[in-house]
Amino acid sequence: MTAPVVLDRRSVLAGGGALIVSFSLRGAIAQEQKPQSPALPGSLAKSPNLDSWIRIDANGQVTAFTGKAELGQGFRTAFQQIAAEQLDIPFDALKVITADTKLTANEGYTSGSHSMQDSGTAILHAAAQARALLVAEAARRFDLPPDGLRTENAAVIAPDGRRLGYGELVASDMLHVQAQPTSSLKDPAGFKVMGQPVPRVDIPAKVTGGAAYVQDMRLPGMVHARVVRPPSYGAQFVECDTAAIEKMPGVIQIVRDGNFLAVVAEKEFSAVKAMHALAAAAKWRESAKLPNQHDLANVLTALPSQDFAILQRSDPTVSGARSLEATYTRPYQSHGSIGPSCAVAQFIDGAMTVWTHTQGVYPDRQAIAEMLGMAPASVRLIHVEGSGCYGHNGADDAAADAALIARALPGRPVRVQWMREQEHGWEPYGPAMVTKLSASLTADGKIADWNFAVWSNTHSMRPGGAGALLAAQHMARSFAVPAPKPLPLPEGGGDRNAIPIYNFPNAHVMHHFIPAMPLRISAMRALGAYHNVFSTESFMDELAALAGADPVEFRLRHLDDQRGRAVVVKAAEEFGWTRGQQPPRNRGYGFAFARYKNLAAYCAIASEVEVDRETGRARLVRAVAAVDAGQVVNPDGITNQIEGAIVQSTSWTLYESVTFDETRITSIDWQTYPILRFNAVPDSIAVHIINRPGQPFLGSGETGQGPAAASLANAIAHATGKRLRDLPLSRKRIKDAIDA
Amino acid sequence: MMTLKVNGRDHQVDAEADTPLLYVLRNDLALNAAKFGCGLGQCGSCTVIVDGKAVLSCVTPLVLVEGKQVTTLEGLGTVATPAPIQRAFMEEQAAQCGYCIAGMMMRAQALLMRNPKPSDAQIRAELEPNLCRCGTHMRILRAVHRAARLMDTADAASDRSIR
């Protein structure tokens, strides 16, 4: 991912204008002096040309490009801030273009809290280097040294007051040069736009009914399609009498290809009615054998696994006396997007265009092209926002559905909208997981020995190949589901955050990777980190209790990472955490901490919960978080992400599990898959950001998921005196524990 | 053909009587705000106001709203001249993906029309049918409180201008 980019001097020298040559030779010379040239920052490593990120038109319009997809995190605004700051352009004067296979760099997937690290960093450096090029060109024209020039309001200004606008300075190829490993970045102390809570650029349209989502697209001549999915995994189409359905008002066509079945109509509700009729008429042969959802711990640990020892640290001079062991489980959980997946596709003159809320326009294009037997160059994917996805939901599948149907109706834009039960029933879930932990304490109350084992599926079955797409699996010339692979460390998948951040003299971590996937699964916000942090941080509290130590002090006892210590201390202080604190009756306090992936943002959360002992109902009353996501671009954006993480993780942790019988998924709507509603919303959430000016962006989208869960679990244990280790920490489980 | 009154205007609509209001608003009238979320009346993202009351447009057949006043988010204001509830949601940055937000705003608007000074508990109770998955709830609550204050100020201002 960070392969060094070799500067091609011949292409540099052939580049044209004096400016490009002199600029690029500087890099070339530097490279000769230092053969091991450092990798380019962020996504510049993969797409090194500055004009992949920044374009300046002769009329002065500046555009920043990102290959990442806005999913509701607000990074479009953050990227605009970065480019405006480094280029000295008014914020409002800048445009940002997001993921589109025709226009933007290939940045793979928008996932793993990587957008700020990858794309934000690329834009930061590309903008700074573009500014340097503009200043150099102005210096040449002014016949002045560049050091004396300044930039302001999209122009370069000489000490004598002469000024040249960026549009006047730019030459056609000026930015078509490779980036350099280092940039002359602005001093954070002088930031005017970065670091400010700039209002999100997308919110005005979203609160006034402007077109904001792929669901809102209305292309001329567009028709509406609905898919009829099989009733269960692997079900085979037997027969369907479609004669009456074809005659229903407004029905244009029924599209069937093997087990793929869909109907197209002029009007949307005609398509819905025809879909219901089709679903009732279609006969399927079902064969799925789903596991016992009430025994997932035994089901998972009994499946064949590939076993990896991912940490083996030994210090024979330290051994423990008192020991503890525990098993924690997580069920399958749904992304549960509020808007079911949707896509629009149009097939004209052998070229396919798909408007989609996929997280990866390039990999999804690859998969759709393979499914259709088309060259990727003939397929264009354009990202348009959808409802929040929180990982791999039905977006890619809906895009494939739309493409397959559009191919059957050349020329006509086809809009496919999944129904609620399709999103809930067919999305790839967050995988079920099991962790087994054991540890021992030294006489002075420190952890001597830590053992952690996790059983999990992979956490990404995202496209790359067509076999990841439902439509491709279901069509007659069907594509097999690709073999799952464990995601590599240091980021990891099922083992994400399985390695403790704490300093334990003896530590052993095993990753039992399970290839067999009883349910369709893939990436869900934070991947394995949600359960691994829940397990680690719950167990830390159990061990603190065994040691008779305060949970916060016990963590600090084992934590050397200074930035980690800073967020722990900050969250505790802001919460008003004190050793031996006595909560009001039926309330409890909990604490948890993690550094996401052990290499991204730090987050510590202190929680207060209230438990109704009669019903077992737990409610988060207040949460106080401290987060260090590196250099802050938009503090309100980070706060929004952490607030959201706490509320969403509270919902996962207290309520959520996918349900199924022996054959079919049975959690297919909001009644069968309840999530948090307003009656469970806390009284307050406070987020305290520790800014790190000049430090790398760390991304804040997923860092809160694990700590929020463990903080809640620890607070429930504090309130009830009972430790719950199986997610979700449901009303019934809490009540049963209280009564036991 | 039937006449549908939406945002103060009459529209001639050619749709079957059992068509849910949501599809007519989104497709026949090209109004984006009301969203398809479940089609089952379980999530509130399709919420609009009919004769002053918050209604789930995904389960409300067209025939039931004939002759009634339908208001969607578009009918409240624009980016240039936002209604108090819209201004409040912008000022509180009360959205992440924003897909649920139009429905939240319409239910809150219906509450504020009937009870201009709701308590926090009343706002939470009112918004109970509406789901948000991004976890933007704290901001939504702050925005509704802010909208109430803005409406109060706007009323006071218009009272003064009348005097």
Side-chain angles (χ1 to χ4, degrees):
Chain A
M1 166 186 149
T2 50
V5 171
V6 178
L7 199 67
D8 179 344
R9 287 180 67 191
R10 201 166 39 176
S11 70
V12 166
L13 290 166
L19 175 72
I20 295 170
V21 173
S22 63
F23 171 77
S24 298
L25 275 181
R26 247 194 346 257
I29 291 161
Q31 191 159 342
E32 279 159 14
Q33 288 165 344
K34 257 198 309 174
Q36 294 289 315
S37 79
L40 291 175
S43 287
L44 284 168
K46 278 185 177 168
S47 299
N49 284 335
L50 294 186
D51 62 359
S52 296
W53 306 97
I54 301 289
R55 191 177 77 201
I56 302 173
D57 297 331
N59 65 6
Q61 174 64 53
V62 182
T63 309
F65 294 85
T66 171
K68 299 287 186 182
E70 172 67 61
L71 311 173
Q73 332 87 312
F75 74 57
R76 177 193 285 269
T77 306
F79 291 172
Q80 193 164 329
Q81 287 177 259
I82 293 169
E85 181 71 64
Q86 296 296 331
L87 276 160
D88 275 323
I89 301 170
F91 175 80
D92 293 328
L94 207 125
K95 274 198 312 198
V96 177
I97 304 257
T98 61
D100 178 336
T101 56
K102 192 175 173 184
L103 300 176
T104 66
N106 180 356
E107 291 196 85
Y109 281 103
T110 304
S111 64
S113 297
H114 268 278
S115 297
M116 292 304 294
Q117 291 172 68
D118 296 354
S119 212
T121 302
I123 292 170
L124 176 82
H125 286 269
Q129 294 184 22
R131 178 181 167 278
L133 287 171
L134 292 160
V135 169
E137 173 63 8
R140 190 182 68 79
R141 294 205 204 164
F142 289 142
D143 197 19
L144 289 170
D147 292 353
L149 307 181
R150 65 191 172 87
T151 50
E152 187 184 288
N153 202 11
V156 184
I157 299 161
D160 58 15
R162 280 182 293 167
R163 122 192 225 116
L164 282 165
Y166 290 170
E168 300 168 77
L169 285 166
V170 77
S172 60
D173 281 348
M174 180 189 276
L175 299 183
H176 193 62
V177 291
Q178 290 210 340
Q180 302 299 302
T182 57
S183 315
S184 157
L185 297 172
K186 277 195 175 175
D187 179 355
F191 283 170
K192 297 188 189 75
V193 190
M194 279 175 70
Q196 296 301 310
V198 173
R200 289 239 312 252
V201 293
D202 54 331
I203 287 182
K206 288 176 176 175
V207 300
T208 54
Y213 305 92
V214 69
Q215 283 89 345
D216 300 333
M217 289 182 67
R218 291 177 206 92
L219 298 181
M222 188 173 82
V223 293
H224 293 272
R226 287 294 185 280
V227 178
V228 175
R229 291 275 176 234
S232 55
Y233 296 140
Q236 296 294 308
F237 180 84
V238 177
E239 60 176 9
C240 183
D241 181 359
T242 60
I245 300 162
E246 281 162 15
K247 293 194 192 78
M248 287 175 72
V251 169
I252 298 170
Q253 197 172 327
I254 290 168
V255 178
R256 191 176 82 80
D257 185 346
N259 296 313
F260 181 85
L261 187 58
V263 59
V264 187
E266 294 286 354
K267 300 193 81 169
E268 189 167 14
F269 193 55
S270 308
V272 172
K273 286 203 275 195
M275 172 199 74
H276 287 306
L278 204 52
K283 297 197 167 36
W284 306 84
R285 189 167 51 250
E286 298 185 61
S287 58
K289 295 249 187 306
L290 301 182
N292 179 357
Q293 69 169 47
H294 302 293
D295 191 28
L296 283 177
N298 289 320
V299 167
L300 291 182
T301 52
L303 286 170
S305 65
Q306 298 167 15
D307 305 328
F308 305 93
I310 58 173
L311 178 70
Q312 289 177 290
R313 186 191 299 150
S314 294
D315 180 350
T317 66
V318 185
S319 64
R322 291 168 296 168
S323 65
L324 203 61
E325 58 180 62
T327 299
Y328 300 84
T329 66
R330 172 206 182 174
Y332 294 96
Q333 292 176 317
S334 285
H335 299 81
S337 297
I338 294 296
S341 294
C342 180
V344 178
Q346 189 169 23
F347 185 59
I348 302 179
D349 298 334
M352 181 69 75
T353 304
V354 187
W355 291 266
T356 163
H357 53 105
T358 177
Q359 289 177 274
V361 286
Y362 281 92
D364 202 24
R365 174 177 78 161
Q366 183 69 33
I368 288 173
E370 186 187 349
M371 174 183 80
L372 299 175
M374 292 175 66
S378 302
V379 180
R380 178 182 181 186
L381 261 68
I382 302 171
H383 180 265
V384 186
E385 272 190 74
S387 179
C389 61
Y390 329 105
H392 180 189
N393 67 350
D396 298 330
D397 297 308
D401 293 344
L404 194 57
I405 299 165
R407 189 174 61 173
L409 286 94
R412 302 206 71 170
V414 175
R415 178 180 181 276
V416 173
Q417 169 70 67
W418 278 20
M419 304 303 284
R420 167 52 46 205
E421 58 275 20
Q422 294 173 333
E423 187 73 34
H424 259 94
W426 283 95
E427 66 145 282
Y429 307 114
M433 294 171 69
V434 179
T435 42
K436 290 182 188 287
L437 282 74
S438 64
S440 59
L441 292 175
T442 60
D444 60 347
K446 289 186 79 173
I447 293 170
D449 179 44
W450 174 272
N451 297 286
F452 187 106
V454 55
W455 283 259
S456 177
N457 280 151
T458 182
H459 283 252
S460 177
M461 290 299 290
R462 294 179 186 277
L469 302 169
L470 285 179
Q473 293 166 16
H474 291 166
M475 62 199 283
R477 191 174 75 88
S478 100
F479 290 83
V481 177
K485 292 193 210 96
L487 302 174
L489 289 167
E491 301 205 351
D495 53 354
R496 181 166 290 183
N497 280 87
I499 293 175
I501 189 171
Y502 300 106
N503 188 13
F504 304 137
N506 295 283
H508 302 271
V509 179
M510 285 294 296
H511 177 202
H512 302 281
F513 167 71
I514 305 167
M517 294 171 286
L519 267 67
R520 185 173 194 238
I521 55 89
S522 192
M524 184 156 142
R525 193 176 187 180
L527 310 191
Y530 167 67
H531 183 68
N532 291 331
V533 171
F534 163 71
S535 311
T536 298
E537 290 294 294
S538 293
F539 201 53
M540 283 297 281
D541 259 40
E542 297 195 54
L543 289 164
L546 185 65
D550 173 74
V552 171
E553 190 276 320
F554 188 71
R555 284 174 173 78
L556 291 171
R557 208 180 269 185
H558 297 93
L559 186 60
D560 296 337
D561 185 311
Q562 290 306 310
R563 288 171 71 172
R565 294 180 67 89
V567 299
V568 168
V569 169
K570 182 75 177 167
E573 278 177 4
E574 296 288 349
F575 185 80
W577 189 277
T578 49
R579 187 189 166 88
Q581 58 203 337
Q582 285 303 315
R585 191 175 142 71
N586 294 334
R587 293 207 175 185
Y589 304 128
F591 197 91
F593 156 76
R595 182 182 192 191
Y596 185 48
K597 299 187 270 193
N598 291 333
L599 51 75
Y602 299 82
C603 184
I605 300 174
S607 301
E608 178 174 350
V609 302
E610 174 180 62
V611 177
D612 182 332
R613 297 185 68 87
E614 295 303 311
T615 63
R617 179 181 188 267
R619 185 176 80 92
L620 178 63
V621 176
R622 68 181 176 115
V624 175
V627 60
D628 170 356
Q631 166 85 57
V632 173
V633 176
N634 190 319
D636 192 56
I638 294 177
T639 301
N640 203 351
Q641 284 300 301
I642 301 297
E643 285 176 5
I646 290 170
V647 174
Q648 188 182 70
S649 184
T650 296
S651 183
W652 292 359
T653 303
L654 293 182
Y655 311 119
E656 299 184 28
S657 60
V658 172
T659 60
F660 40 91
D661 59 24
E662 289 174 3
T663 315
R664 296 181 177 184
I665 303 294
T666 53
S667 50
I668 52 167
D669 58 18
W670 298 119
Q671 279 181 2
T672 47
Y673 191 88
I675 63 171
L676 178 142
R677 288 181 182 269
F678 268 96
N679 65 2
V681 169
D683 296 350
S684 71
I685 297 178
V687 179
H688 300 274
I689 300 170
I690 299 178
N691 192 9
R692 300 287 183 188
Q695 291 293 313
F697 307 137
L698 297 180
S700 61
E702 297 166 295
T703 189
Q705 301 303 115
S711 179
L712 197 53
N714 290 335
I716 290 170
H718 191 224
T720 62
K722 307 286 180 167
R723 172 61 55 177
L724 278 83
R725 303 185 185 89
D726 297 306
L727 293 167
L729 313 179
S730 65
R731 186 185 296 214
K732 179 173 188 312
R733 281 176 171 155
I734 295 172
K735 172 77 173 142
D736 289 350
I738 289 171
D739 292 346
Chain B
M1 279 288 184
M2 63 167 278
T3 305
L4 192 61
K5 294 176 191 297
V6 179
N7 298 332
R9 284 181 49 203
D10 285 355
H11 299 266
Q12 296 302 310
V13 175
D14 180 16
E16 293 171 74
D18 63 343
T19 307
L21 173 61
L22 175 68
Y23 292 109
V24 176
L25 294 173
R26 292 190 56 81
N27 299 329
D28 300 67
L29 305 187
L31 294 169
N32 295 318
K35 294 283 186 276
F36 175 77
C38 63
L40 305 164
Q42 295 178 349
C43 76
S45 51
C46 65
T47 307
V48 298
I49 295 175
V50 178
D51 283 353
K53 289 197 177 120
V55 160
L56 299 168
S57 67
C58 77
V59 287
T60 304
L62 195 54
V63 67
L64 288 187
V65 293
E66 190 165 13
K68 296 184 178 174
Q69 295 286 349
V70 179
T71 307
T72 72
L73 187 57
E74 289 91 341
L76 299 184
T78 62
V79 173
T81 56
I85 189 107
Q86 292 167 319
R87 221 182 102 191
F89 272 71
M90 286 189 238
E91 287 172 357
E92 292 292 345
Q93 293 286 289
Q96 283 193 31
C97 83
Y99 198 87
C100 72
I101 290 297
M104 293 280 182
M105 293 171 74
M106 294 314 285
R107 187 168 300 281
Q109 175 75 14
L111 168 67
L112 294 174
M113 282 159 57
R114 141 178 126 242
N115 175 5
K117 290 182 182 167
S119 66
D120 192 62
Q122 286 171 324
I123 297 171
R124 286 169 186 250
E126 185 73 16
L127 293 177
E128 187 70 8
N130 287 47
L131 293 175
C132 166
R133 187 56 163 165
C134 296
T136 321
H137 303 72
M138 305 308 295
R139 285 166 186 252
I140 294 168
L141 291 172
R142 284 201 295 272
V144 178
H145 282 293
R146 181 182 283 258
R149 291 196 301 273
L150 288 172
M151 284 178 184
D152 196 32
T153 316
D155 287 350
S158 63
D159 283 353
R160 273 196 300 277
S161 67
I162 291 165
R163 283 186 220 114

